[in-house]
Amino acid sequence: MLRLSSSRGIRAAIGSLTTSVPYASRSIHSPAFATVAAEEISGSQPAEVLNLVQGKWKASSNWNAILDPLNGQPFINVAEVQEAEIKPFVESLSNCPKYGLHNPLRAPERYLMFGDISAKAAHMLAQPEVAKFFSRLIQRVSPKSYTQALAEVQVTQKFLENFSGDQVRFLARSFAVPGNHLGQQSNGYRWPYGPVVIITPFNFPLEIPILQLMGALYMGNKPTLKVDSKVSIVMEQMLRLLHDCGLPKEDVDFINSDGITMNKILLEAKPQMTLFTGSSRVAEKLAADLKGRVKLEDAGFDWKILGPDVQEVEYVAWVCDQDAYACSGQKCSAQSILFMHENWGSSKLIDLMKDLSERRKLEDLTIGPVLTVTTENMLEHVNKLLQIPGSKLLFGGEQLQDHSIPKIYGAIQPTAVFVPIDEILKENNFSLVTKEIFGPFQIVTQYKQDQLDMVLDALEKMHAHLTAAVVSSDQLFLQASFTKNLNMIPFFPPNLKIRTKLSKTYHM
C-alpha cells in the first residue's frame, strides 16, 4: 500500500525537496558550475538535463519525465535524442581519427593538460559544498544512504587526485626491445582507439561513468558518453564541473536516448571500441552487433564462503549485511549467495544478520527503492524459492511499509532465503537459485565438512560471478578450495573491471 505519511522522514534524511525559490534562480548554495540545486528538485520545480554534442549543450524534440523514486512525481525532464536527431552524434564520432585526439607522438602536451584538469577537479570535489552537492544529487536519483553517496564522491575525488600532474602521461609509458641486428628495434606504444562509446548503468551515477570517461580521455580517445537517463543529471553536472576545470567542450559528447536509438548510433558511427556496463542480455547483443569491438562488465551473481573456523562473528555479520544490502543491493559486487560451513550454523551469525537488516530504514535510505526490479517480481522470486524442499525464509520477504515509492520500482525489506546445498545443485533448481536479483536479496546455504566439493561444483556451474570472498584462516581449507577451482579468487576487489582504460598497445 502506498502512503505519503512518511514523506516528512524522507525529507529529513535527504534534505528539503521543495522550496519557494524558482528553479530558474538556482540556489545560492549550489556550486558556481551547477545549473540545478540538488535539494530543490521536485515535481513542482523539475530540473532539466541536456545533451552535449560538438561542444554545444542542446535539447531535443522529446522530453522524458523521470519519476522521483521516493514519491513518484515527475521531477527531472531529460532531453532524449530521437532516431531522426542522431546525425550530429554520428558525425562527431566519425570525424575523430583512429589515432585519437592525442597519442605518444601527437599533441603530447594534452597529457599534461589532463593532469591539470584532474588536479583542479579533485580540488573542487574536495570542497565540502561540492561534495555535498553531488552526494545529495546522487541520493535524489539513486537513493542510498548519505554515507554511501558521499563514498562515491570520495572515490571519484581520490581517483582524480591520483591522476594529477605527470600521472596521466605515465599511463602512456612505452617500451623498446633490442632487435636481432643493427638498426632493428621493437617499440611499443600505448595508443588510443580514437572514437569510442561508454555506456553506464544507474547504480553508481558518478563513480562508474567518471572513472571510465577519464580513463578514455587520458589515453587520447574521443568518447560519447551515455548514462542511464534516470540518473544522467549527475554526470551532466559533473561534465559542467570538468568544463570549469579546463576540459575542452568538444572532447566529450554526452547523449540521452533510449536503447534502440543508441544502438543505431553504434551501428552507423562504428566506434573503434565500446565500453558497456549493464545487463548480460544487452551485452550479448552488443557483442554480436559490434563484431567484438566491445569491452563488457555485465551480470554478477557473487558468492562468499565461510570456512570451518568461526571467529569475529559480529564483524563477519556486519560485512555480510553491507555486502548484501548496502545501496539496497543494487551493485554488481553485491553478495548474492552465502555458503556457511556447518560450524557457523551453530553461531549467532544469522541472528546478527537479521538484527542488522532490521536496522535499515527508508527514512535514512539505508534501504530504499529498487530501480530495475518491481516489488511484485522480487516477492514472486522469493515464493518460487520457498517451494524448494527444505528452503525457508530467514528474514525479510515483505514489502516496505508506509512509503510512497512508485509501483514501477521495487520496495522490499532486506531478504534472505535458505536453500539446502543439495537442492541447489539439482538441475531443475540451479538456474532459479542463481538468478541475479538486483535488489536487497540473497541466498544462504550450509555445507558440512565433507560437502566442500558440492560448494565447488556450484561455483563451477555459475557463469556470471564478478566478485568473491573466502572467509577463513584455515590454511588447509584455503588450499583445498583454491586448488580445486580456478574461478576462486580470494578477496577479489569489487568492481575491478570498471577500472578498464580504453587504450591498446601497438608494436611498431
Side-chain angles (χ1 to χ4, degrees):
M1 181 169 60
L2 303 182
R3 300 180 184 175
L4 299 176
S5 59
S6 63
S7 60
R8 179 180 301 174
I10 294 173
R11 282 199 297 269
I14 66 172
S16 176
L17 305 185
T18 59
T19 179
S20 60
V21 180
Y23 168 73
S25 57
R26 178 179 51 80
S27 170
I28 60 173
H29 301 295
S30 295
F33 63 84
T35 60
V36 300
E39 296 178 355
E40 296 173 5
I41 303 172
S42 67
S44 60
Q45 299 179 58
E48 291 185 352
V49 179
L50 301 178
N51 302 286
L52 177 65
V53 62
Q54 297 176 350
K56 296 180 180 179
W57 289 103
K58 294 184 178 181
S60 71
S61 62
N62 181 69
W63 292 88
N64 178 22
I66 304 299
L67 300 185
D68 188 325
L70 294 175
N71 59 35
Q73 296 178 1
F75 77 137
I76 299 175
N77 294 319
V78 178
E80 289 206 342
V81 174
Q82 305 300 290
E83 288 191 44
E85 302 171 318
I86 68 173
K87 184 177 178 181
F89 294 91
V90 173
E91 289 179 347
S92 184
L93 273 177
S94 300
N95 289 339
C96 178
K98 287 189 291 184
Y99 55 76
L101 302 180
H102 63 266
N103 58 56
L105 305 179
R106 180 180 185 273
E109 65 276 2
R110 281 174 54 91
Y111 293 114
L112 295 178
M113 179 188 78
F114 276 104
D116 292 340
I117 292 170
S118 296
K120 293 174 183 176
H123 176 73
M124 289 189 69
L125 285 180
Q127 304 305 308
E129 65 274 14
V130 177
K132 179 180 179 182
F133 169 78
F134 279 107
S135 299
R136 295 297 196 195
L137 197 57
I138 290 168
Q139 284 190 297
R140 296 297 287 114
V141 295
S142 182
K144 59 185 75 173
S145 70
Y146 187 79
T147 300
Q148 290 285 323
L150 179 61
E152 192 173 336
V153 178
Q154 291 171 334
V155 167
T156 301
Q157 189 273 335
K158 187 58 66 175
F159 172 87
L160 292 167
E161 188 175 85
N162 286 341
F163 286 99
S164 300
D166 287 331
Q167 296 305 312
V168 174
R169 65 177 175 183
F170 287 164
L171 282 178
R173 181 174 292 163
S174 60
F175 65 85
V177 179
N180 295 335
H181 52 74
L182 183 64
Q184 185 186 58
Q185 188 180 61
S186 176
N187 294 323
Y189 292 102
R190 295 284 287 180
W191 212 258
Y193 285 101
V196 300
V197 171
I198 300 169
I199 304 173
T200 65
F202 73 92
N203 53 337
F204 289 88
L206 179 66
E207 180 183 341
I208 292 179
I210 193 63
L211 267 59
Q212 294 182 347
L213 175 68
M214 296 309 291
L217 288 169
Y218 291 156
M219 298 310 299
N221 299 288
K222 168 67 181 287
T224 293
L225 174 65
K226 182 195 180 313
V227 182
D228 189 312
S229 293
K230 294 191 292 291
V231 300
S232 61
I233 191 171
V234 178
M235 270 308 295
E236 190 222 42
Q237 295 299 301
M238 186 63 197
L239 282 171
R240 295 180 187 275
L241 179 149
L242 292 172
H243 294 158
D244 210 44
C245 294
L247 174 67
K249 288 186 177 180
E250 298 79 7
D251 278 16
V252 179
D253 291 337
F254 178 71
I255 185 171
N256 299 284
S257 73
D258 61 22
I260 295 175
T261 301
M262 193 65 215
N263 191 254
K264 187 172 183 179
I265 292 174
L266 293 172
L267 294 177
E268 291 194 13
K270 295 181 175 61
Q272 292 296 304
M273 182 58 65
T274 295
L275 181 57
F276 173 79
T277 306
S279 75
S280 56
R281 177 182 59 83
V282 176
E284 290 170 2
K285 175 175 172 53
L286 287 177
D289 288 350
L290 302 179
K291 297 179 174 59
R293 297 191 309 274
V294 61
K295 293 180 181 290
L296 303 174
E297 180 190 341
D298 53 1
F301 190 84
D302 307 313
W303 48 263
K304 183 183 274 95
I305 298 177
L306 306 184
D309 47 323
V310 179
Q311 53 185 319
E312 302 288 346
V313 179
E314 292 82 2
Y315 177 70
V316 171
W318 179 81
V319 172
C320 287
D321 175 78
Q322 286 291 104
D323 286 350
Y325 305 126
C327 302
S328 299
Q330 297 174 99
K331 47 185 180 177
C332 52
S333 60
Q335 178 176 303
S336 305
I337 186 167
L338 176 66
F339 295 93
M340 288 190 313
H341 189 278
E342 60 182 341
N343 293 347
W344 288 87
S346 57
S347 74
K348 55 182 180 179
L349 175 69
I350 298 298
D351 290 336
L352 289 171
M353 289 170 57
K354 180 176 184 292
D355 292 343
L356 289 168
S357 72
E358 291 174 348
R359 291 169 55 186
R360 296 183 174 275
K361 304 296 181 184
L362 183 60
E363 286 76 11
D364 60 7
L365 295 180
T366 49
I367 193 68
V370 177
L371 301 190
T372 57
V373 192
T374 65
T375 301
E376 181 181 3
N377 287 340
M378 286 188 285
L379 295 181
E380 181 183 5
H381 182 67
V382 171
N383 290 332
K384 288 181 179 179
L385 289 168
L386 293 178
Q387 302 305 310
I388 297 175
S391 65
K392 59 183 177 180
L393 182 68
L394 296 177
F395 51 83
E398 297 181 2
Q399 62 178 304
L400 298 176
Q401 300 298 311
D402 300 326
H403 69 82
S404 51
I405 297 169
K407 290 184 177 180
I408 61 170
Y409 299 139
I412 72 165
Q413 300 171 354
T415 299
V417 174
F418 178 88
V419 182
I421 182 67
D422 55 335
E423 291 290 337
I424 290 176
L425 287 170
K426 290 183 178 179
E427 186 174 350
N428 57 334
N429 293 334
F430 191 79
S431 60
L432 174 65
V433 173
T434 57
K435 178 181 179 180
E436 183 184 14
I437 301 297
F438 213 57
F441 175 83
Q442 67 173 319
I443 298 290
V444 178
T445 191
Q446 183 171 303
Y447 66 98
K448 297 180 180 179
Q449 184 67 33
D450 59 356
Q451 291 180 316
L452 178 59
D453 284 343
M454 297 178 70
V455 175
L456 301 182
D457 288 345
L459 301 182
E460 186 67 26
K461 292 176 66 176
M462 295 178 195
H463 67 278
H465 40 71
L466 178 62
T467 66
V470 179
V471 182
S472 179
S473 297
D474 185 328
Q475 292 301 313
L476 292 177
F477 175 82
L478 294 175
Q479 181 71 12
S481 301
F482 300 152
T483 57
K484 292 183 180 179
N485 195 311
L486 295 178
N487 289 326
M488 298 184 66
I489 306 175
F491 312 114
F492 193 79
N495 295 326
L496 179 64
K497 292 184 181 178
I498 70 171
R499 315 305 191 212
T500 303
K501 305 297 186 297
L502 282 169
S503 63
K504 56 189 174 183
T505 300
Y506 272 167
H507 298 275
M508 303 181 68

